Amino acid sequence: MTDEELVRRWQQGDRQAFDALYERFKDDAFRTACLITGNRADGEDLAQEAFVQCALHIGSLKDGSKFRPWLMRLLSRSAWKYCKKRRREQPVCELFETGEGESALTAVLRTEEQRRLYEALYVLDEKRRTVIVLYYFDELSVREIAQAVGATEGTVKSRLFSARRHLRQALTEKGLKPKEASLHG
Amino acid sequence: MDEMNLDRALRETLQDCTNDLKAPDRLKTRVDFAMQNNTTAPRRKMCSWKRTAITVCAVLAVAVTGVFAATSMAGIYSHSWSNQKMSYAETASKAGVQLPEMFSNGFVFQSGYEVFSEARGDAGETESKWTDINAVYEKNGVTLSLETGVPQDALIGGTVKQSREVDGVKVSYTDDNYLSVPPDYELTEAQKEAESSGDIVVSVGSDQVEMNFFQFVSWEQDGKRHSLYGYDTGLTADELMDMAAEMIGA
């Protein structure tokens, strides 16, 4: 059954349609939330919040085929608010199961390049990190990201540009200093 | 590194980071719980202590994950961030009142956090929003919360079981037995009867079936709404009202 059909059924009160949509997108939502926040506990909170927001506002979704970007929009709004509230450094390895710091990171990310990119990602401020995750992981367009984070397309492009510049620098320089990096852009 | 290689490396890194990440099973339970509460028949106003008890129940229900908890009952939607821990100075400053660091009966300030609430109308529209400040006190493993905020039209008084007047301020006390149950739990006939008669209040969303005794003291002073409450405190109504009196007289 298509997303559109499931959304239509859900709007008509079919709870099983919601369950089906949840099963379809739960991992996407959880992974995106984890990437933005940098850890699983917060990712779980935000995924929950996003699905609850979906339930509250499902009646306002006119095009059911756009359910996924709509879910991501609700998720990223919640995530962004949360990051703004939280304002603390994200531990590098909280995403990884073993919790053994560098060894876990090394096991999951195979190359030095990937590890440096990952670390640099969490030096970015949340605005730029959110844009990077939505663009490269969720493959949203600049327009969709702009709608998601409540910014203009120009602002999203600017954030993408400065984030890329920072990440490229992280790959070419040694001893990246977090404060310097977060000032870019 | 050129743009195309950077794009490729970013995509691969983000994918590799999340390959092993799966939404935990409990997430569905949490979503169902929150949604179930959101679809409860709405009332415009809600008894302040019952709303507090329900919010606390919801926090307890997900406390095992140490995370953000949200619930919405009867048009009142509240949430807090359980990883937010404010110091005494920050809590007192945000509350805008003189909070005791320690009550004379030995309850000591532990931490503070903000509680964000909003009243929603029948169509889900936001009618009002407010933020309360919650200070957590502890003694011998017993936890009490002292919540401070501005009086809200959306919150009404509720049943009062005892009251006293302190320096011209009316202090009200109430309590209730709360039966916390998992979302798929079916009440026994005896429990249904107890709920109907008002002997227990059922709160859906916990991991296991648990009965707790909830106590709630409230008062208004100098344009602020205060409530002191806790589960299974072992304190009497008088002892709780003495603590309120201590704060009123401070």
mmCIF file of all heavy atoms in Angstrom, chain A residues 14-43:
data_model
loop_
_atom_site.group_PDB
_atom_site.id
_atom_site.type_symbol
_atom_site.label_atom_id
_atom_site.label_comp_id
_atom_site.label_asym_id
_atom_site.label_seq_id
_atom_site.Cartn_x
_atom_site.Cartn_y
_atom_site.Cartn_z
ATOM 1 N N ASP A 14 -8.189 5.139 10.734
ATOM 2 C CA ASP A 14 -7.687 3.764 10.741
ATOM 3 C C ASP A 14 -6.341 3.731 11.456
ATOM 4 O O ASP A 14 -5.304 4.115 10.897
ATOM 5 C CB ASP A 14 -7.547 3.267 9.301
ATOM 6 C CG ASP A 14 -7.041 1.826 9.243
ATOM 7 O OD1 ASP A 14 -6.681 1.277 10.303
ATOM 8 O OD2 ASP A 14 -7.001 1.266 8.128
ATOM 9 N N ARG A 15 -6.343 3.249 12.680
ATOM 10 C CA ARG A 15 -5.129 3.240 13.486
ATOM 11 C C ARG A 15 -4.064 2.291 12.915
ATOM 12 O O ARG A 15 -2.870 2.502 13.067
ATOM 13 C CB ARG A 15 -5.494 2.875 14.919
ATOM 14 C CG ARG A 15 -4.343 2.785 15.897
ATOM 15 C CD ARG A 15 -3.559 4.094 15.928
ATOM 16 N NE ARG A 15 -2.274 3.896 16.583
ATOM 17 C CZ ARG A 15 -2.050 4.141 17.872
ATOM 18 N NH1 ARG A 15 -2.997 4.633 18.609
ATOM 19 N NH2 ARG A 15 -0.868 3.927 18.408
ATOM 20 N N GLN A 16 -4.527 1.230 12.250
ATOM 21 C CA GLN A 16 -3.565 0.290 11.672
ATOM 22 C C GLN A 16 -2.756 0.945 10.549
ATOM 23 O O GLN A 16 -1.619 0.557 10.289
ATOM 24 C CB GLN A 16 -4.296 -0.936 11.144
ATOM 25 C CG GLN A 16 -4.797 -1.833 12.278
ATOM 26 C CD GLN A 16 -5.478 -3.083 11.769
ATOM 27 O OE1 GLN A 16 -5.976 -3.117 10.639
ATOM 28 N NE2 GLN A 16 -5.513 -4.102 12.593
ATOM 29 N N ALA A 17 -3.357 1.918 9.919
ATOM 30 C CA ALA A 17 -2.627 2.631 8.873
ATOM 31 C C ALA A 17 -1.458 3.397 9.488
ATOM 32 O O ALA A 17 -0.364 3.452 8.918
ATOM 33 C CB ALA A 17 -3.562 3.593 8.139
ATOM 34 N N PHE A 18 -1.700 3.970 10.660
ATOM 35 C CA PHE A 18 -0.589 4.638 11.352
ATOM 36 C C PHE A 18 0.498 3.634 11.711
ATOM 37 O O PHE A 18 1.693 3.901 11.524
ATOM 38 C CB PHE A 18 -1.062 5.340 12.629
ATOM 39 C CG PHE A 18 0.094 5.694 13.527
ATOM 40 C CD1 PHE A 18 0.959 6.725 13.183
ATOM 41 C CD2 PHE A 18 0.361 4.966 14.679
ATOM 42 C CE1 PHE A 18 2.059 7.029 13.983
ATOM 43 C CE2 PHE A 18 1.448 5.250 15.472
ATOM 44 C CZ PHE A 18 2.300 6.290 15.121
ATOM 45 N N ASP A 19 0.078 2.478 12.242
ATOM 46 C CA ASP A 19 1.062 1.457 12.617
ATOM 47 C C ASP A 19 1.933 1.075 11.417
ATOM 48 O O ASP A 19 3.146 0.888 11.543
ATOM 49 C CB ASP A 19 0.362 0.217 13.170
ATOM 50 C CG ASP A 19 -0.315 0.488 14.511
ATOM 51 O OD1 ASP A 19 0.044 1.494 15.155
ATOM 52 O OD2 ASP A 19 -1.191 -0.294 14.900
ATOM 53 N N ALA A 20 1.296 0.973 10.254
ATOM 54 C CA ALA A 20 2.047 0.608 9.046
ATOM 55 C C ALA A 20 3.037 1.714 8.664
ATOM 56 O O ALA A 20 4.186 1.433 8.300
ATOM 57 C CB ALA A 20 1.078 0.350 7.899
ATOM 58 N N LEU A 21 2.593 2.946 8.765
ATOM 59 C CA LEU A 21 3.501 4.060 8.454
ATOM 60 C C LEU A 21 4.643 4.126 9.471
ATOM 61 O O LEU A 21 5.794 4.393 9.118
ATOM 62 C CB LEU A 21 2.730 5.388 8.459
ATOM 63 C CG LEU A 21 1.869 5.646 7.227
ATOM 64 C CD1 LEU A 21 0.886 6.783 7.480
ATOM 65 C CD2 LEU A 21 2.745 5.962 6.013
ATOM 66 N N TYR A 22 4.297 3.869 10.717
ATOM 67 C CA TYR A 22 5.332 3.873 11.754
ATOM 68 C C TYR A 22 6.398 2.826 11.436
ATOM 69 O O TYR A 22 7.595 3.114 11.479
ATOM 70 C CB TYR A 22 4.713 3.601 13.133
ATOM 71 C CG TYR A 22 5.750 3.421 14.211
ATOM 72 C CD1 TYR A 22 6.305 4.523 14.856
ATOM 73 C CD2 TYR A 22 6.229 2.157 14.548
ATOM 74 C CE1 TYR A 22 7.288 4.361 15.822
ATOM 75 C CE2 TYR A 22 7.211 1.981 15.504
ATOM 76 C CZ TYR A 22 7.737 3.089 16.144
ATOM 77 O OH TYR A 22 8.727 2.921 17.072
ATOM 78 N N GLU A 23 5.941 1.610 11.129
ATOM 79 C CA GLU A 23 6.897 0.536 10.817
ATOM 80 C C GLU A 23 7.759 0.910 9.615
ATOM 81 O O GLU A 23 8.941 0.606 9.565
ATOM 82 C CB GLU A 23 6.145 -0.772 10.541
ATOM 83 C CG GLU A 23 5.599 -1.446 11.783
ATOM 84 C CD GLU A 23 6.676 -1.777 12.809
ATOM 85 O OE1 GLU A 23 7.763 -2.231 12.405
ATOM 86 O OE2 GLU A 23 6.438 -1.566 14.008
ATOM 87 N N ARG A 24 7.157 1.584 8.666
ATOM 88 C CA ARG A 24 7.872 1.929 7.434
ATOM 89 C C ARG A 24 8.965 2.970 7.696
ATOM 90 O O ARG A 24 10.014 2.935 7.067
ATOM 91 C CB ARG A 24 6.858 2.450 6.413
ATOM 92 C CG ARG A 24 7.383 2.571 5.009
ATOM 93 C CD ARG A 24 6.256 2.874 4.035
ATOM 94 N NE ARG A 24 5.376 1.723 3.810
ATOM 95 C CZ ARG A 24 4.311 1.734 3.013
ATOM 96 N NH1 ARG A 24 3.995 2.812 2.357
ATOM 97 N NH2 ARG A 24 3.575 0.646 2.868
ATOM 98 N N PHE A 25 8.709 3.889 8.594
ATOM 99 C CA PHE A 25 9.627 5.026 8.738
ATOM 100 C C PHE A 25 10.309 5.142 10.102
ATOM 101 O O PHE A 25 11.045 6.089 10.336
ATOM 102 C CB PHE A 25 8.883 6.333 8.439
ATOM 103 C CG PHE A 25 8.416 6.422 7.025
ATOM 104 C CD1 PHE A 25 7.073 6.392 6.712
ATOM 105 C CD2 PHE A 25 9.332 6.502 5.981
ATOM 106 C CE1 PHE A 25 6.634 6.448 5.398
ATOM 107 C CE2 PHE A 25 8.908 6.564 4.667
ATOM 108 C CZ PHE A 25 7.553 6.535 4.369
ATOM 109 N N LYS A 26 10.068 4.191 10.981
ATOM 110 C CA LYS A 26 10.612 4.323 12.339
ATOM 111 C C LYS A 26 12.142 4.381 12.340
ATOM 112 O O LYS A 26 12.740 5.201 13.057
ATOM 113 C CB LYS A 26 10.125 3.184 13.242
ATOM 114 C CG LYS A 26 10.598 1.804 12.798
ATOM 115 C CD LYS A 26 10.117 0.700 13.719
ATOM 116 C CE LYS A 26 10.661 -0.637 13.232
ATOM 117 N NZ LYS A 26 10.248 -1.760 14.073
ATOM 118 N N ASP A 27 12.774 3.534 11.540
ATOM 119 C CA ASP A 27 14.239 3.522 11.547
ATOM 120 C C ASP A 27 14.808 4.793 10.912
ATOM 121 O O ASP A 27 15.802 5.345 11.392
ATOM 122 C CB ASP A 27 14.776 2.278 10.830
ATOM 123 C CG ASP A 27 14.553 1.011 11.640
ATOM 124 O OD1 ASP A 27 14.406 1.118 12.877
ATOM 125 O OD2 ASP A 27 14.496 -0.082 11.049
ATOM 126 N N ASP A 28 14.185 5.236 9.834
ATOM 127 C CA ASP A 28 14.635 6.488 9.201
ATOM 128 C C ASP A 28 14.572 7.635 10.208
ATOM 129 O O ASP A 28 15.515 8.427 10.328
ATOM 130 C CB ASP A 28 13.724 6.852 8.018
ATOM 131 C CG ASP A 28 14.047 6.020 6.790
ATOM 132 O OD1 ASP A 28 15.026 5.256 6.842
ATOM 133 O OD2 ASP A 28 13.322 6.149 5.792
ATOM 134 N N ALA A 29 13.443 7.721 10.907
ATOM 135 C CA ALA A 29 13.262 8.826 11.861
ATOM 136 C C ALA A 29 14.266 8.714 13.001
ATOM 137 O O ALA A 29 14.899 9.708 13.390
ATOM 138 C CB ALA A 29 11.835 8.809 12.406
ATOM 139 N N PHE A 30 14.430 7.505 13.508
ATOM 140 C CA PHE A 30 15.342 7.302 14.632
ATOM 141 C C PHE A 30 16.784 7.617 14.224
ATOM 142 O O PHE A 30 17.521 8.291 14.942
ATOM 143 C CB PHE A 30 15.217 5.853 15.114
ATOM 144 C CG PHE A 30 16.104 5.504 16.270
ATOM 145 C CD1 PHE A 30 16.005 6.185 17.473
ATOM 146 C CD2 PHE A 30 17.035 4.479 16.168
ATOM 147 C CE1 PHE A 30 16.823 5.868 18.549
ATOM 148 C CE2 PHE A 30 17.855 4.148 17.230
ATOM 149 C CZ PHE A 30 17.735 4.841 18.422
ATOM 150 N N ARG A 31 17.176 7.147 13.048
ATOM 151 C CA ARG A 31 18.553 7.380 12.592
ATOM 152 C C ARG A 31 18.818 8.862 12.355
ATOM 153 O O ARG A 31 19.870 9.394 12.749
ATOM 154 C CB ARG A 31 18.797 6.597 11.300
ATOM 155 C CG ARG A 31 18.914 5.110 11.536
ATOM 156 C CD ARG A 31 18.890 4.311 10.249
ATOM 157 N NE ARG A 31 19.093 2.895 10.513
ATOM 158 C CZ ARG A 31 18.982 1.953 9.597
ATOM 159 N NH1 ARG A 31 18.663 2.269 8.347
ATOM 160 N NH2 ARG A 31 19.187 0.690 9.912
ATOM 161 N N THR A 32 17.883 9.535 11.726
ATOM 162 C CA THR A 32 18.071 10.968 11.486
ATOM 163 C C THR A 32 18.179 11.719 12.816
ATOM 164 O O THR A 32 19.041 12.584 12.987
ATOM 165 C CB THR A 32 16.884 11.536 10.670
ATOM 166 O OG1 THR A 32 16.838 10.841 9.422
ATOM 167 C CG2 THR A 32 17.030 13.014 10.423
ATOM 168 N N ALA A 33 17.295 11.369 13.741
ATOM 169 C CA ALA A 33 17.306 12.043 15.045
ATOM 170 C C ALA A 33 18.621 11.788 15.778
ATOM 171 O O ALA A 33 19.187 12.685 16.391
ATOM 172 C CB ALA A 33 16.120 11.567 15.880
ATOM 173 N N CYS A 34 19.106 10.555 15.685
ATOM 174 C CA CYS A 34 20.387 10.227 16.336
ATOM 175 C C CYS A 34 21.527 11.020 15.707
ATOM 176 O O CYS A 34 22.419 11.516 16.399
ATOM 177 C CB CYS A 34 20.674 8.734 16.223
ATOM 178 S SG CYS A 34 19.665 7.703 17.284
ATOM 179 N N LEU A 35 21.519 11.117 14.385
ATOM 180 C CA LEU A 35 22.593 11.845 13.710
ATOM 181 C C LEU A 35 22.576 13.321 14.082
ATOM 182 O O LEU A 35 23.624 13.942 14.278
ATOM 183 C CB LEU A 35 22.465 11.692 12.195
ATOM 184 C CG LEU A 35 22.935 10.358 11.612
ATOM 185 C CD1 LEU A 35 22.614 10.284 10.124
ATOM 186 C CD2 LEU A 35 24.438 10.150 11.831
ATOM 187 N N ILE A 36 21.404 13.893 14.173
ATOM 188 C CA ILE A 36 21.335 15.319 14.487
ATOM 189 C C ILE A 36 21.746 15.577 15.939
ATOM 190 O O ILE A 36 22.504 16.497 16.223
ATOM 191 C CB ILE A 36 19.921 15.880 14.223
ATOM 192 C CG1 ILE A 36 19.632 15.857 12.710
ATOM 193 C CG2 ILE A 36 19.784 17.308 14.750
ATOM 194 C CD1 ILE A 36 18.211 16.229 12.338
ATOM 195 N N THR A 37 21.242 14.744 16.840
ATOM 196 C CA THR A 37 21.517 15.003 18.259
ATOM 197 C C THR A 37 22.853 14.427 18.712
ATOM 198 O O THR A 37 23.437 14.896 19.673
ATOM 199 C CB THR A 37 20.420 14.405 19.164
ATOM 200 O OG1 THR A 37 20.403 12.982 18.975
ATOM 201 C CG2 THR A 37 19.059 14.982 18.820
ATOM 202 N N GLY A 38 23.298 13.371 18.039
ATOM 203 C CA GLY A 38 24.583 12.780 18.403
ATOM 204 C C GLY A 38 24.489 11.661 19.417
ATOM 205 O O GLY A 38 25.510 11.119 19.822
ATOM 206 N N ASN A 39 23.297 11.310 19.848
ATOM 207 C CA ASN A 39 23.214 10.158 20.742
ATOM 208 C C ASN A 39 21.841 9.488 20.668
ATOM 209 O O ASN A 39 20.861 10.082 20.232
ATOM 210 C CB ASN A 39 23.593 10.519 22.186
ATOM 211 C CG ASN A 39 22.539 11.388 22.840
ATOM 212 O OD1 ASN A 39 21.494 10.909 23.233
ATOM 213 N ND2 ASN A 39 22.821 12.674 22.930
ATOM 214 N N ARG A 40 21.791 8.251 21.116
ATOM 215 C CA ARG A 40 20.584 7.428 20.937
ATOM 216 C C ARG A 40 19.424 7.854 21.833
ATOM 217 O O ARG A 40 18.273 7.822 21.408
ATOM 218 C CB ARG A 40 20.918 5.969 21.248
ATOM 219 C CG ARG A 40 21.864 5.353 20.266
ATOM 220 C CD ARG A 40 22.253 3.966 20.720
ATOM 221 N NE ARG A 40 23.306 3.453 19.865
ATOM 222 C CZ ARG A 40 23.282 2.254 19.315
ATOM 223 N NH1 ARG A 40 22.271 1.455 19.537
ATOM 224 N NH2 ARG A 40 24.271 1.852 18.560
ATOM 225 N N ALA A 41 19.743 8.201 23.068
ATOM 226 C CA ALA A 41 18.651 8.556 23.991
ATOM 227 C C ALA A 41 17.881 9.760 23.465
ATOM 228 O O ALA A 41 16.647 9.770 23.438
ATOM 229 C CB ALA A 41 19.216 8.841 25.376
ATOM 230 N N ASP A 42 18.616 10.764 23.044
ATOM 231 C CA ASP A 42 17.946 11.955 22.507
ATOM 232 C C ASP A 42 17.259 11.629 21.191
ATOM 233 O O ASP A 42 16.179 12.150 20.887
ATOM 234 C CB ASP A 42 18.961 13.078 22.289
ATOM 235 C CG ASP A 42 19.535 13.578 23.607
ATOM 236 O OD1 ASP A 42 18.879 13.369 24.635
ATOM 237 O OD2 ASP A 42 20.630 14.161 23.601
ATOM 238 N N GLY A 43 17.892 10.765 20.408
ATOM 239 C CA GLY A 43 17.284 10.363 19.139
ATOM 240 C C GLY A 43 15.938 9.687 19.361
ATOM 241 O O GLY A 43 14.974 9.919 18.633
#
